[in-house]
Amino acid sequence: MEDDSTGARRGGPQEIPRPRDVKKGQPAPWSVLDQTERLFSLDSLRSIFGSRGPGAPSPQGEDPAKGSAAVLAAFWEEEDDLAVLLTRRRWNLRTHKGEVSFPGGARDSSDPDLVTTALREAHEEVGLGPSEVHIVGELDHLTTVSSDRFIVPYVGVLERPPARLNPHESEVDAILRVSVTELLADQTYRQEIWHGGDRVAYGRRIVYDQRPINFFELHGDTIWGATATMLTQLLAIATQTRDPGTET
C-alpha cells in the first residue's frame, strides 16, 4: 500500500497473483485532463452511452453453451459528487475472495435477457431495487481468466441515492459507495504490464501472455482484474478521453 498526497493509505489486502516479470504501464487515459475537466454528470452518462450503441463482443468469443453473465455499474449523485456502487466479496468464497467488483453474476434460465440478469443480481447481492435503475448503455463484453463465460457490463443511473442497501450475508463482505472524484484522482489509478509466466490462481494454473493490468488503489481496497478493466473503459468513455477496448 502507498500513501497519497494527504498521507492516507491507499490499497487493500486483496490477493494479486502477479507473475515474476512486471513493468510499469501507461498512465490513466484521463491523466491528460485537469481535475476539473475529469468530472462528468448523470446527464452526460445518459448522452454518451445512449449514442454509443452496444458493446463489442468478447475477443475470446461468446459461446452461449459456456454460459453468460452480466454486471451493473450504477451511478447516482451524492454530496456534490457522483458515486458508483461496488461490493467487496466475502473472504471465505472459493473464487475471487475479498475482491472488489460490480454487482452481477451468471444468467439464470428464467432471465429473459442479460439486463434482467444484471438487475436481479444487484437486487440479490445488495438489495438495489430494479425499478431504481435506468440502464443507459453497455461496455465491451469480456471473458475472464477464471471462467469461459462471457460478461456483459451495463451502465445504469439512479435519480437519487439508493433508499436502502443490504449485503447478501453469504456473498458480500461490504457495500462500497465509491466517489468518482476518488477514482479519477492522480494517486488512484495505475497500470502494470505482466510479461508471461504462469501462476496458480482461482484454483487452476494460468499462463499469462503480455497484457496490461489496471488497478485502482482506494483507501482500504484495491480494484483490479476484470472489474478494473471495465471501470477503466467506463471512465475513459465518460470523460471522453478515449474508448479503450477491454482486455483481461
Side-chain angles (χ1 to χ4, degrees):
M1 292 190 289
E2 298 181 354
D3 294 348
D4 66 14
S5 59
T6 68
R9 300 291 283 174
R10 287 188 175 274
Q14 282 74 19
E15 298 177 4
I16 313 296
R18 285 183 175 86
R20 288 180 292 274
D21 189 3
V22 175
K23 292 181 172 60
K24 184 177 179 180
Q26 296 296 314
W30 48 90
S31 64
V32 299
L33 302 176
D34 293 335
Q35 292 286 345
T36 56
E37 295 177 314
R38 299 177 191 183
L39 302 179
F40 54 89
S41 66
L42 295 183
D43 284 342
S44 65
L45 285 177
R46 293 186 186 96
S47 175
I48 293 168
F49 280 95
S51 62
R52 182 174 182 267
S58 168
Q60 286 75 35
E62 299 185 355
D63 184 353
K66 295 180 179 179
S68 56
V71 300
L72 175 67
F75 291 83
W76 63 86
E77 293 180 351
E78 188 169 279
E79 298 180 357
D80 299 322
D81 197 356
L82 289 189
V84 62
L85 179 63
L86 290 155
T87 70
R88 186 191 313 120
R89 290 167 55 84
R90 292 187 65 86
W91 292 95
N92 60 352
L93 295 175
R94 184 174 61 85
T95 61
H96 302 291
K97 58 184 179 180
E99 291 189 8
V100 176
S101 62
F102 293 117
R107 182 178 183 176
D108 280 353
S109 58
S110 60
D111 293 339
D113 51 39
L114 283 168
V115 170
T116 302
T117 301
L119 295 173
R120 174 184 55 75
E121 286 285 340
H123 184 253
E124 292 176 1
E125 290 186 11
V126 300
L128 182 63
S131 63
E132 296 182 73
V133 185
H134 174 61
I135 300 295
V136 298
E138 65 183 61
L139 301 170
D140 292 349
H141 309 175
L142 70 164
T143 304
T144 69
V145 297
S146 61
S147 173
D148 293 330
R149 155 186 311 128
F150 70 90
I151 303 169
V152 179
Y154 291 99
V155 181
V157 299
L158 284 66
E159 295 303 323
R160 58 188 60 83
R164 178 180 299 177
L165 297 176
N166 297 296
H168 190 290
E169 61 181 13
S170 64
E171 296 182 24
V172 178
D173 181 66
I175 296 171
L176 309 179
R177 301 174 181 232
V178 181
S179 159
V180 167
T181 298
E182 180 179 0
L183 290 172
L184 294 172
D186 288 333
Q187 306 94 335
T188 304
Y189 176 90
R190 63 185 174 82
Q191 186 186 83
E192 296 178 357
I193 305 299
W194 290 11
H195 291 268
D198 63 290
R199 291 292 300 271
V200 174
Y202 315 115
R204 65 178 184 177
R205 184 166 295 280
I206 297 170
V207 178
Y208 294 104
D209 55 3
Q210 179 173 317
R211 65 181 62 201
I213 306 294
N214 304 309
F215 295 86
F216 291 82
E217 301 290 1
L218 307 179
H219 294 124
D221 281 297
T222 295
I223 307 172
W224 78 287
T227 301
T229 296
M230 293 182 275
L231 189 55
T232 301
Q233 187 190 31
L234 195 163
L235 294 174
I237 294 171
T239 56
Q240 301 185 71
T241 43
R242 61 187 175 93
D243 186 351
T246 55
E247 296 184 42
T248 59

